[in-house]
C-alpha cells in the first residue's frame, strides 16, 4: 500500500494505491471527500482522500509513511463516506537490505539472471535481475512489491520471460543517489549491513 501527497500538483489530496491495476480501464466512485478507484472487474486499486489536511497533518511531499493510527483514521473516513471496504494492514518496510543467496542465468535470456534474495530472517524472494554485476553473495537494496521508486514507478510482482519476479534489486540511478553510474548495474552495499534492515529512499 502506497500513500502519496503532493499539494502543489494534485491539491490537498492523499493518493492511496492498494493494488496493481494491470493497465485495465478504471472507474471512480466518489462519495463526499472520498473516491474509490476500481478496475472493470471490481478490484479496488486505490483511493483518493480530498481535503486531507483537515484530517491529519502530512509533513512530507511525495511518498509518505503513515502510522497505524492514521490508517485507522482513514478507514473511519472511508466508512463514514458510505464505503464498506477498509485499507489493508501495513506489511512492513518496502525497501530493505537483501542478501543474494543464489544467482543463475535465465534460461530464455542472454542478460537476465534469476536470483533468490534473503530479505529478512530466512524469508527469500525470487527476483529476476538484468544487471551485469549481479552475483551470489552480494548485499543489495531490494524494493519489495508495492514499493514506490523516487521517480514514482511502483514495483509489482510480475513475470519476465516466463519467470516470476517478486520485487526489484535497485541501482543507484533508480534510487536517484548522487554520482550514480549510468551503467546498468545494481548498488552493492557493504557486507556489514544487516539483512532486512529498513532503508529510507
Amino acid at each position: 500500500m502506497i500513500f502519496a501527497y503532493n499539494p502543489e500538483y494534485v491539491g490537498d489530496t492523499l493518493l492511496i494505491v492498494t493494488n496493481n491495476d494491470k493497465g485495465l480501464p478504471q472507474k471512480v466512485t466518489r462519495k463526499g471527500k472520498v473516491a474509490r478507484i476500481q478496475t472493470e472487474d471490481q478490484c479496488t486499486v486505490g483511493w483518493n482522500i480530498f481535503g486531507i489536511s483537515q484530517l491529519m497533518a502530512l509533513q512530507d511531499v511525495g511518498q509518505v509513511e503513515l502510522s497505524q493510527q492514521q490508517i485507522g483514521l482513514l478507514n473511519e473516513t472511508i466508512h463514514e463516506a458510505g464505503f464498506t471496504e477498509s485499507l489493508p494492514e501495513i506489511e512492513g518496510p518496502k525497501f530493505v537490505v537483501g542478501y543474494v543467496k543464489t544467482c543463475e542465468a535465465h534460461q530464455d535470456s542472454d542478460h537476465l539472471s534469476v536470483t533468490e534474495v534473503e530479505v529478512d530472517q530466512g524469508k527469500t524472494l525470487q527476483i529476476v535481475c538484468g544487471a551485469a554485476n549481479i552475483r551470489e553473495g552480494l548485499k543489495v537494496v531490494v524494493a519489495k512489491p508495492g514499493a514506490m521508486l523516487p521517480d514514482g514507478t511502483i514495483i509489482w510482482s510480475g513475470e519476465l520471460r516466463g519467470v516470476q519476479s517478486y520485487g526489484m534489486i535497485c541501482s543507484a540511478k533508480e534510487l536517484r543517489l548522487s554520482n550514480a553510474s549510468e551503467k546498468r548495474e545494481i548498488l552493492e552495499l557493504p557486507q556489514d549491513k544487516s539483512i532486512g534492515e529498513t532503508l529510507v529512499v
Side-chain angles (χ1 to χ4, degrees):
M1 186 162 53
I2 295 170
F3 304 97
Y5 181 63
N6 195 328
E8 182 178 352
Y9 292 98
V10 297
D12 187 26
T13 303
L14 180 66
L15 309 180
I16 307 171
V17 180
T18 58
N19 214 330
N20 186 359
D21 66 10
K22 299 179 181 179
L24 295 174
Q26 299 178 353
K27 67 173 185 177
V28 178
T29 304
R30 180 166 178 173
K31 299 180 180 181
K33 294 185 176 182
V34 179
R36 179 182 62 192
I37 304 162
Q38 293 181 304
T39 54
E40 57 186 5
D41 59 357
Q42 306 298 312
C43 175
T44 297
V45 295
W47 301 84
N48 292 341
I49 310 296
F50 302 98
I52 189 63
S53 63
Q54 299 173 25
L55 189 65
M56 63 183 67
L58 297 176
Q59 305 299 326
D60 297 326
V61 172
Q63 185 173 6
V64 296
E65 299 292 331
L66 298 186
S67 67
Q68 200 61 54
Q69 181 180 5
Q70 288 173 311
I71 293 174
L73 188 56
L74 291 176
N75 278 329
E76 289 179 14
T77 301
I78 290 171
H79 297 159
E80 288 171 357
F83 295 99
T84 58
E85 297 174 68
S86 298
L87 298 175
E89 294 184 7
I90 299 175
E91 298 179 350
K94 294 298 184 183
F95 291 91
V96 298
V97 175
Y99 174 73
V100 183
K101 297 181 70 174
T102 66
C103 180
E104 299 180 356
H106 193 297
Q107 293 185 352
D108 190 32
S109 171
D110 60 1
H111 71 283
L112 296 176
S113 298
V114 181
T115 68
E116 290 289 333
V117 184
E118 184 176 354
V119 292
D120 188 25
Q121 297 181 357
K123 180 180 179 181
T124 62
L125 297 175
Q126 177 173 282
I127 300 176
V128 179
C129 179
N133 64 325
I134 186 68
R135 61 188 183 277
E136 184 178 320
L138 288 183
K139 294 281 183 74
V140 295
V141 179
V142 174
K144 296 180 181 180
M148 178 186 282
L149 296 176
D151 68 358
T153 300
I154 300 175
I155 304 303
W156 301 111
S157 298
E159 189 176 284
L160 291 172
R161 297 284 185 92
V163 176
Q164 284 294 126
S165 183
Y166 301 93
M168 186 176 82
I169 301 173
C170 302
S171 69
K173 183 179 179 181
E174 289 160 338
L175 298 173
R176 290 195 172 177
L177 300 181
S178 59
N179 301 318
S181 171
E182 292 296 320
K183 296 180 181 179
R184 291 174 57 87
E185 57 183 27
I186 52 141
L187 179 64
E188 301 182 24
L189 297 177
Q191 285 295 320
D192 60 0
K193 285 285 187 180
S194 299
I195 299 172
E197 178 182 340
T198 301
L199 298 172
V200 178
V201 174

